[in-house]
Amino acid sequence: MRTAQILFLHGFFASGSCILAQVLKQAFTGKAEVLTPDLPLHPREALAFITSLCERERPNILVGNSNGSFLAQIVASRLGIPALLGNPHFEMTRFLSERIGAHEYKSPRADGRQHFVIDQPLIDEFAEVQAHQWDDCRSEMSDRIWGLFGDNDHLARFEPLFLRHYTHAYHFPGAHTPTADEARKYYVPLVGEIMRSKELI
């Protein structure tokens, strides 16, 4: 039997080595393979990368956080893959417009490149993707894409928008970026529940 696979998509300032990625890998050791790649900065490139990875590796579930959830919703809808969207940021243009300039990733990337720049062309590209993010959303996915929302998340408060399209919304008493303990207590059980419902673990 093929080993179940989880594809984790990190947030905009994070990388595939962030705390949430580490927690998922530890939690599912021996149960599922957890893929935690570094995502390209630009959304169109990121979507192409994720789509290609999904077509090659055939993950059973996508797990995202923030910008990773924004991207996960698009790919999961398009390819029909179950997903857990942690604190999805569906208006990345607003997030980026307040942060124009040079930045550094908050966790190490595999290629060693830790610096990046938010500029208007990047924001414009996100705007184009954002405008079409629901194009592939369809009714049969309404109960296969779940949302997890931090009660103290002051960056991405999009549960009402999420519930226009999907039915399963959960809460945890945390902020936008979960701590390791929050990831273990809230993210891991929901991922496990989705996978058990699909008889994957």
Side-chain angles (χ1 to χ4, degrees), residues 110-136:
D111 62 6
R113 297 178 64 181
Q114 289 303 115
H115 297 88
F116 63 94
V117 173
I118 296 173
D119 55 18
Q120 194 57 49
L122 178 64
I123 296 170
D124 292 344
E125 184 178 330
F126 265 97
E128 293 175 10
V129 174
Q130 188 173 298
H132 295 281
Q133 65 182 304
W134 308 108
D135 285 3
D136 294 307

PDB file of all heavy atoms in Angstrom, residues 110-136:
ATOM      1  N   ALA A 110      16.300  26.117   1.971  1.00  0.00           N
ATOM      2  CA  ALA A 110      17.264  25.108   1.537  1.00  0.00           C
ATOM      3  C   ALA A 110      18.333  25.677   0.621  1.00  0.00           C
ATOM      4  O   ALA A 110      19.483  25.221   0.626  1.00  0.00           O
ATOM      5  CB  ALA A 110      16.543  23.953   0.853  1.00  0.00           C
ATOM      6  N   ASP A 111      17.967  26.698  -0.171  1.00  0.00           N
ATOM      7  CA  ASP A 111      18.940  27.268  -1.111  1.00  0.00           C
ATOM      8  C   ASP A 111      19.816  28.346  -0.474  1.00  0.00           C
ATOM      9  O   ASP A 111      20.682  28.915  -1.138  1.00  0.00           O
ATOM     10  CB  ASP A 111      18.232  27.830  -2.348  1.00  0.00           C
ATOM     11  CG  ASP A 111      17.271  28.976  -2.016  1.00  0.00           C
ATOM     12  OD1 ASP A 111      17.229  29.429  -0.860  1.00  0.00           O
ATOM     13  OD2 ASP A 111      16.549  29.416  -2.940  1.00  0.00           O
ATOM     14  N   GLY A 112      19.585  28.634   0.800  1.00  0.00           N
ATOM     15  CA  GLY A 112      20.406  29.611   1.506  1.00  0.00           C
ATOM     16  C   GLY A 112      20.045  31.066   1.239  1.00  0.00           C
ATOM     17  O   GLY A 112      20.638  31.974   1.827  1.00  0.00           O
ATOM     18  N   ARG A 113      19.085  31.299   0.366  1.00  0.00           N
ATOM     19  CA  ARG A 113      18.681  32.673   0.050  1.00  0.00           C
ATOM     20  C   ARG A 113      17.668  33.144   1.083  1.00  0.00           C
ATOM     21  O   ARG A 113      16.535  32.676   1.110  1.00  0.00           O
ATOM     22  CB  ARG A 113      18.094  32.745  -1.361  1.00  0.00           C
ATOM     23  CG  ARG A 113      19.098  32.383  -2.460  1.00  0.00           C
ATOM     24  CD  ARG A 113      18.468  32.410  -3.840  1.00  0.00           C
ATOM     25  NE  ARG A 113      18.021  33.754  -4.194  1.00  0.00           N
ATOM     26  CZ  ARG A 113      17.424  34.049  -5.348  1.00  0.00           C
ATOM     27  NH1 ARG A 113      17.196  33.087  -6.243  1.00  0.00           N
ATOM     28  NH2 ARG A 113      17.046  35.282  -5.608  1.00  0.00           N
ATOM     29  N   GLN A 114      18.064  34.065   1.926  1.00  0.00           N
ATOM     30  CA  GLN A 114      17.221  34.486   3.043  1.00  0.00           C
ATOM     31  C   GLN A 114      16.595  35.858   2.849  1.00  0.00           C
ATOM     32  O   GLN A 114      15.730  36.253   3.632  1.00  0.00           O
ATOM     33  CB  GLN A 114      18.044  34.488   4.335  1.00  0.00           C
ATOM     34  CG  GLN A 114      18.415  33.097   4.841  1.00  0.00           C
ATOM     35  CD  GLN A 114      17.204  32.207   5.086  1.00  0.00           C
ATOM     36  OE1 GLN A 114      16.992  31.190   4.435  1.00  0.00           O
ATOM     37  NE2 GLN A 114      16.358  32.610   6.023  1.00  0.00           N
ATOM     38  N   HIS A 115      17.003  36.584   1.818  1.00  0.00           N
ATOM     39  CA  HIS A 115      16.504  37.940   1.628  1.00  0.00           C
ATOM     40  C   HIS A 115      15.623  38.040   0.379  1.00  0.00           C
ATOM     41  O   HIS A 115      15.850  37.352  -0.611  1.00  0.00           O
ATOM     42  CB  HIS A 115      17.675  38.926   1.522  1.00  0.00           C
ATOM     43  CG  HIS A 115      18.498  39.002   2.770  1.00  0.00           C
ATOM     44  ND1 HIS A 115      19.566  38.151   3.012  1.00  0.00           N
ATOM     45  CD2 HIS A 115      18.395  39.806   3.864  1.00  0.00           C
ATOM     46  CE1 HIS A 115      20.096  38.437   4.187  1.00  0.00           C
ATOM     47  NE2 HIS A 115      19.405  39.425   4.724  1.00  0.00           N
ATOM     48  N   PHE A 116      14.625  38.901   0.456  1.00  0.00           N
ATOM     49  CA  PHE A 116      13.741  39.120  -0.683  1.00  0.00           C
ATOM     50  C   PHE A 116      13.168  40.530  -0.587  1.00  0.00           C
ATOM     51  O   PHE A 116      13.286  41.206   0.439  1.00  0.00           O
ATOM     52  CB  PHE A 116      12.619  38.086  -0.721  1.00  0.00           C
ATOM     53  CG  PHE A 116      11.685  38.138   0.458  1.00  0.00           C
ATOM     54  CD1 PHE A 116      10.503  38.876   0.401  1.00  0.00           C
ATOM     55  CD2 PHE A 116      11.976  37.456   1.637  1.00  0.00           C
ATOM     56  CE1 PHE A 116       9.634  38.928   1.478  1.00  0.00           C
ATOM     57  CE2 PHE A 116      11.115  37.512   2.723  1.00  0.00           C
ATOM     58  CZ  PHE A 116       9.944  38.245   2.644  1.00  0.00           C
ATOM     59  N   VAL A 117      12.540  40.960  -1.674  1.00  0.00           N
ATOM     60  CA  VAL A 117      11.992  42.311  -1.741  1.00  0.00           C
ATOM     61  C   VAL A 117      10.523  42.256  -2.141  1.00  0.00           C
ATOM     62  O   VAL A 117      10.148  41.545  -3.087  1.00  0.00           O
ATOM     63  CB  VAL A 117      12.777  43.175  -2.756  1.00  0.00           C
ATOM     64  CG1 VAL A 117      12.104  44.535  -2.943  1.00  0.00           C
ATOM     65  CG2 VAL A 117      14.220  43.356  -2.298  1.00  0.00           C
ATOM     66  N   ILE A 118       9.711  42.997  -1.413  1.00  0.00           N
ATOM     67  CA  ILE A 118       8.311  43.191  -1.793  1.00  0.00           C
ATOM     68  C   ILE A 118       8.233  44.505  -2.563  1.00  0.00           C
ATOM     69  O   ILE A 118       8.600  45.560  -2.051  1.00  0.00           O
ATOM     70  CB  ILE A 118       7.401  43.257  -0.552  1.00  0.00           C
ATOM     71  CG1 ILE A 118       7.427  41.928   0.207  1.00  0.00           C
ATOM     72  CG2 ILE A 118       5.966  43.605  -0.964  1.00  0.00           C
ATOM     73  CD1 ILE A 118       6.699  41.956   1.536  1.00  0.00           C
ATOM     74  N   ASP A 119       7.784  44.422  -3.825  1.00  0.00           N
ATOM     75  CA  ASP A 119       7.672  45.626  -4.643  1.00  0.00           C
ATOM     76  C   ASP A 119       6.320  45.624  -5.360  1.00  0.00           C
ATOM     77  O   ASP A 119       5.540  44.666  -5.260  1.00  0.00           O
ATOM     78  CB  ASP A 119       8.832  45.747  -5.630  1.00  0.00           C
ATOM     79  CG  ASP A 119       8.992  44.522  -6.531  1.00  0.00           C
ATOM     80  OD1 ASP A 119       8.023  43.721  -6.642  1.00  0.00           O
ATOM     81  OD2 ASP A 119      10.070  44.364  -7.131  1.00  0.00           O
ATOM     82  N   GLN A 120       6.055  46.674  -6.103  1.00  0.00           N
ATOM     83  CA  GLN A 120       4.745  46.809  -6.744  1.00  0.00           C
ATOM     84  C   GLN A 120       4.481  45.717  -7.783  1.00  0.00           C
ATOM     85  O   GLN A 120       3.351  45.207  -7.862  1.00  0.00           O
ATOM     86  CB  GLN A 120       4.583  48.191  -7.379  1.00  0.00           C
ATOM     87  CG  GLN A 120       3.138  48.512  -7.767  1.00  0.00           C
ATOM     88  CD  GLN A 120       2.173  48.416  -6.592  1.00  0.00           C
ATOM     89  OE1 GLN A 120       2.432  48.970  -5.518  1.00  0.00           O
ATOM     90  NE2 GLN A 120       1.061  47.704  -6.773  1.00  0.00           N
ATOM     91  N   PRO A 121       5.462  45.326  -8.596  1.00  0.00           N
ATOM     92  CA  PRO A 121       5.188  44.226  -9.544  1.00  0.00           C
ATOM     93  C   PRO A 121       4.765  42.930  -8.847  1.00  0.00           C
ATOM     94  O   PRO A 121       3.900  42.205  -9.354  1.00  0.00           O
ATOM     95  CB  PRO A 121       6.521  44.064 -10.287  1.00  0.00           C
ATOM     96  CG  PRO A 121       7.125  45.433 -10.239  1.00  0.00           C
ATOM     97  CD  PRO A 121       6.778  45.955  -8.876  1.00  0.00           C
ATOM     98  N   LEU A 122       5.356  42.646  -7.687  1.00  0.00           N
ATOM     99  CA  LEU A 122       4.966  41.451  -6.941  1.00  0.00           C
ATOM    100  C   LEU A 122       3.524  41.588  -6.447  1.00  0.00           C
ATOM    101  O   LEU A 122       2.724  40.643  -6.556  1.00  0.00           O
ATOM    102  CB  LEU A 122       5.906  41.230  -5.752  1.00  0.00           C
ATOM    103  CG  LEU A 122       5.580  40.030  -4.847  1.00  0.00           C
ATOM    104  CD1 LEU A 122       5.709  38.721  -5.607  1.00  0.00           C
ATOM    105  CD2 LEU A 122       6.480  40.029  -3.609  1.00  0.00           C
ATOM    106  N   ILE A 123       3.185  42.764  -5.946  1.00  0.00           N
ATOM    107  CA  ILE A 123       1.826  43.011  -5.477  1.00  0.00           C
ATOM    108  C   ILE A 123       0.832  42.893  -6.630  1.00  0.00           C
ATOM    109  O   ILE A 123      -0.246  42.301  -6.485  1.00  0.00           O
ATOM    110  CB  ILE A 123       1.734  44.396  -4.811  1.00  0.00           C
ATOM    111  CG1 ILE A 123       2.615  44.429  -3.554  1.00  0.00           C
ATOM    112  CG2 ILE A 123       0.282  44.739  -4.462  1.00  0.00           C
ATOM    113  CD1 ILE A 123       2.782  45.806  -2.955  1.00  0.00           C
ATOM    114  N   ASP A 124       1.194  43.432  -7.785  1.00  0.00           N
ATOM    115  CA  ASP A 124       0.321  43.354  -8.959  1.00  0.00           C
ATOM    116  C   ASP A 124       0.089  41.910  -9.385  1.00  0.00           C
ATOM    117  O   ASP A 124      -1.027  41.536  -9.798  1.00  0.00           O
ATOM    118  CB  ASP A 124       0.915  44.154 -10.116  1.00  0.00           C
ATOM    119  CG  ASP A 124       0.917  45.660  -9.866  1.00  0.00           C
ATOM    120  OD1 ASP A 124       0.197  46.115  -8.953  1.00  0.00           O
ATOM    121  OD2 ASP A 124       1.674  46.369 -10.573  1.00  0.00           O
ATOM    122  N   GLU A 125       1.125  41.093  -9.280  1.00  0.00           N
ATOM    123  CA  GLU A 125       0.984  39.680  -9.649  1.00  0.00           C
ATOM    124  C   GLU A 125       0.047  38.967  -8.676  1.00  0.00           C
ATOM    125  O   GLU A 125      -0.811  38.178  -9.087  1.00  0.00           O
ATOM    126  CB  GLU A 125       2.350  38.994  -9.667  1.00  0.00           C
ATOM    127  CG  GLU A 125       2.280  37.551 -10.142  1.00  0.00           C
ATOM    128  CD  GLU A 125       3.646  36.885 -10.197  1.00  0.00           C
ATOM    129  OE1 GLU A 125       4.650  37.572 -10.429  1.00  0.00           O
ATOM    130  OE2 GLU A 125       3.680  35.654  -9.984  1.00  0.00           O
ATOM    131  N   PHE A 126       0.190  39.277  -7.389  1.00  0.00           N
ATOM    132  CA  PHE A 126      -0.731  38.695  -6.406  1.00  0.00           C
ATOM    133  C   PHE A 126      -2.155  39.146  -6.683  1.00  0.00           C
ATOM    134  O   PHE A 126      -3.103  38.371  -6.523  1.00  0.00           O
ATOM    135  CB  PHE A 126      -0.309  39.076  -4.981  1.00  0.00           C
ATOM    136  CG  PHE A 126       0.541  38.043  -4.309  1.00  0.00           C
ATOM    137  CD1 PHE A 126       1.928  38.151  -4.303  1.00  0.00           C
ATOM    138  CD2 PHE A 126      -0.028  36.947  -3.679  1.00  0.00           C
ATOM    139  CE1 PHE A 126       2.725  37.198  -3.687  1.00  0.00           C
ATOM    140  CE2 PHE A 126       0.751  35.986  -3.056  1.00  0.00           C
ATOM    141  CZ  PHE A 126       2.129  36.104  -3.058  1.00  0.00           C
ATOM    142  N   ALA A 127      -2.323  40.407  -7.101  1.00  0.00           N
ATOM    143  CA  ALA A 127      -3.663  40.927  -7.388  1.00  0.00           C
ATOM    144  C   ALA A 127      -4.332  40.128  -8.496  1.00  0.00           C
ATOM    145  O   ALA A 127      -5.533  39.828  -8.421  1.00  0.00           O
ATOM    146  CB  ALA A 127      -3.579  42.401  -7.759  1.00  0.00           C
ATOM    147  N   GLU A 128      -3.578  39.778  -9.525  1.00  0.00           N
ATOM    148  CA  GLU A 128      -4.131  39.001 -10.629  1.00  0.00           C
ATOM    149  C   GLU A 128      -4.553  37.611 -10.169  1.00  0.00           C
ATOM    150  O   GLU A 128      -5.629  37.114 -10.536  1.00  0.00           O
ATOM    151  CB  GLU A 128      -3.093  38.900 -11.746  1.00  0.00           C
ATOM    152  CG  GLU A 128      -2.782  40.221 -12.440  1.00  0.00           C
ATOM    153  CD  GLU A 128      -1.658  40.090 -13.445  1.00  0.00           C
ATOM    154  OE1 GLU A 128      -1.258  38.938 -13.736  1.00  0.00           O
ATOM    155  OE2 GLU A 128      -1.181  41.125 -13.938  1.00  0.00           O
ATOM    156  N   VAL A 129      -3.705  36.974  -9.369  1.00  0.00           N
ATOM    157  CA  VAL A 129      -4.031  35.635  -8.863  1.00  0.00           C
ATOM    158  C   VAL A 129      -5.212  35.706  -7.906  1.00  0.00           C
ATOM    159  O   VAL A 129      -6.134  34.878  -7.952  1.00  0.00           O
ATOM    160  CB  VAL A 129      -2.794  35.009  -8.178  1.00  0.00           C
ATOM    161  CG1 VAL A 129      -3.166  33.684  -7.510  1.00  0.00           C
ATOM    162  CG2 VAL A 129      -1.666  34.788  -9.186  1.00  0.00           C
ATOM    163  N   GLN A 130      -5.178  36.708  -7.050  1.00  0.00           N
ATOM    164  CA  GLN A 130      -6.226  36.881  -6.046  1.00  0.00           C
ATOM    165  C   GLN A 130      -7.595  37.052  -6.694  1.00  0.00           C
ATOM    166  O   GLN A 130      -8.600  36.519  -6.211  1.00  0.00           O
ATOM    167  CB  GLN A 130      -5.879  38.110  -5.213  1.00  0.00           C
ATOM    168  CG  GLN A 130      -6.727  38.362  -3.993  1.00  0.00           C
ATOM    169  CD  GLN A 130      -6.150  39.523  -3.194  1.00  0.00           C
ATOM    170  OE1 GLN A 130      -5.022  39.450  -2.703  1.00  0.00           O
ATOM    171  NE2 GLN A 130      -6.887  40.610  -3.087  1.00  0.00           N
ATOM    172  N   ALA A 131      -7.648  37.772  -7.797  1.00  0.00           N
ATOM    173  CA  ALA A 131      -8.916  38.035  -8.481  1.00  0.00           C
ATOM    174  C   ALA A 131      -9.557  36.767  -9.026  1.00  0.00           C
ATOM    175  O   ALA A 131     -10.768  36.722  -9.258  1.00  0.00           O
ATOM    176  CB  ALA A 131      -8.690  39.038  -9.615  1.00  0.00           C
ATOM    177  N   HIS A 132      -8.758  35.730  -9.223  1.00  0.00           N
ATOM    178  CA  HIS A 132      -9.264  34.479  -9.811  1.00  0.00           C
ATOM    179  C   HIS A 132      -9.151  33.298  -8.848  1.00  0.00           C
ATOM    180  O   HIS A 132      -9.283  32.146  -9.276  1.00  0.00           O
ATOM    181  CB  HIS A 132      -8.500  34.168 -11.101  1.00  0.00           C
ATOM    182  CG  HIS A 132      -8.728  35.180 -12.189  1.00  0.00           C
ATOM    183  ND1 HIS A 132      -9.861  35.181 -12.974  1.00  0.00           N
ATOM    184  CD2 HIS A 132      -7.975  36.253 -12.590  1.00  0.00           C
ATOM    185  CE1 HIS A 132      -9.801  36.199 -13.830  1.00  0.00           C
ATOM    186  NE2 HIS A 132      -8.680  36.857 -13.619  1.00  0.00           N
ATOM    187  N   GLN A 133      -8.936  33.572  -7.566  1.00  0.00           N
ATOM    188  CA  GLN A 133      -8.665  32.482  -6.625  1.00  0.00           C
ATOM    189  C   GLN A 133      -9.836  31.521  -6.432  1.00  0.00           C
ATOM    190  O   GLN A 133      -9.641  30.379  -6.012  1.00  0.00           O
ATOM    191  CB  GLN A 133      -8.225  33.051  -5.270  1.00  0.00           C
ATOM    192  CG  GLN A 133      -9.292  33.851  -4.543  1.00  0.00           C
ATOM    193  CD  GLN A 133      -8.781  34.430  -3.231  1.00  0.00           C
ATOM    194  OE1 GLN A 133      -8.304  33.706  -2.372  1.00  0.00           O
ATOM    195  NE2 GLN A 133      -8.855  35.738  -3.088  1.00  0.00           N
ATOM    196  N   TRP A 134     -11.067  31.963  -6.730  1.00  0.00           N
ATOM    197  CA  TRP A 134     -12.232  31.099  -6.539  1.00  0.00           C
ATOM    198  C   TRP A 134     -12.725  30.479  -7.847  1.00  0.00           C
ATOM    199  O   TRP A 134     -13.778  29.822  -7.863  1.00  0.00           O
ATOM    200  CB  TRP A 134     -13.370  31.893  -5.893  1.00  0.00           C
ATOM    201  CG  TRP A 134     -12.955  32.610  -4.649  1.00  0.00           C
ATOM    202  CD1 TRP A 134     -12.777  33.952  -4.502  1.00  0.00           C
ATOM    203  CD2 TRP A 134     -12.646  32.022  -3.377  1.00  0.00           C
ATOM    204  NE1 TRP A 134     -12.382  34.235  -3.214  1.00  0.00           N
ATOM    205  CE2 TRP A 134     -12.290  33.077  -2.499  1.00  0.00           C
ATOM    206  CE3 TRP A 134     -12.639  30.711  -2.893  1.00  0.00           C
ATOM    207  CZ2 TRP A 134     -11.934  32.860  -1.179  1.00  0.00           C
ATOM    208  CZ3 TRP A 134     -12.279  30.491  -1.569  1.00  0.00           C
ATOM    209  CH2 TRP A 134     -11.934  31.555  -0.729  1.00  0.00           C
ATOM    210  N   ASP A 135     -11.993  30.665  -8.915  1.00  0.00           N
ATOM    211  CA  ASP A 135     -12.467  30.214 -10.227  1.00  0.00           C
ATOM    212  C   ASP A 135     -12.762  28.715 -10.282  1.00  0.00           C
ATOM    213  O   ASP A 135     -13.661  28.272 -11.000  1.00  0.00           O
ATOM    214  CB  ASP A 135     -11.458  30.571 -11.323  1.00  0.00           C
ATOM    215  CG  ASP A 135     -11.463  32.049 -11.683  1.00  0.00           C
ATOM    216  OD1 ASP A 135     -12.218  32.813 -11.035  1.00  0.00           O
ATOM    217  OD2 ASP A 135     -10.710  32.451 -12.585  1.00  0.00           O
ATOM    218  N   ASP A 136     -11.960  27.919  -9.557  1.00  0.00           N
ATOM    219  CA  ASP A 136     -12.123  26.467  -9.616  1.00  0.00           C
ATOM    220  C   ASP A 136     -12.870  25.904  -8.418  1.00  0.00           C
ATOM    221  O   ASP A 136     -12.977  24.683  -8.266  1.00  0.00           O
ATOM    222  CB  ASP A 136     -10.758  25.789  -9.748  1.00  0.00           C
ATOM    223  CG  ASP A 136     -10.087  26.122 -11.070  1.00  0.00           C
ATOM    224  OD1 ASP A 136     -10.725  25.924 -12.115  1.00  0.00           O
ATOM    225  OD2 ASP A 136      -8.935  26.599 -11.057  1.00  0.00           O
TER     226      ASP A 136
END
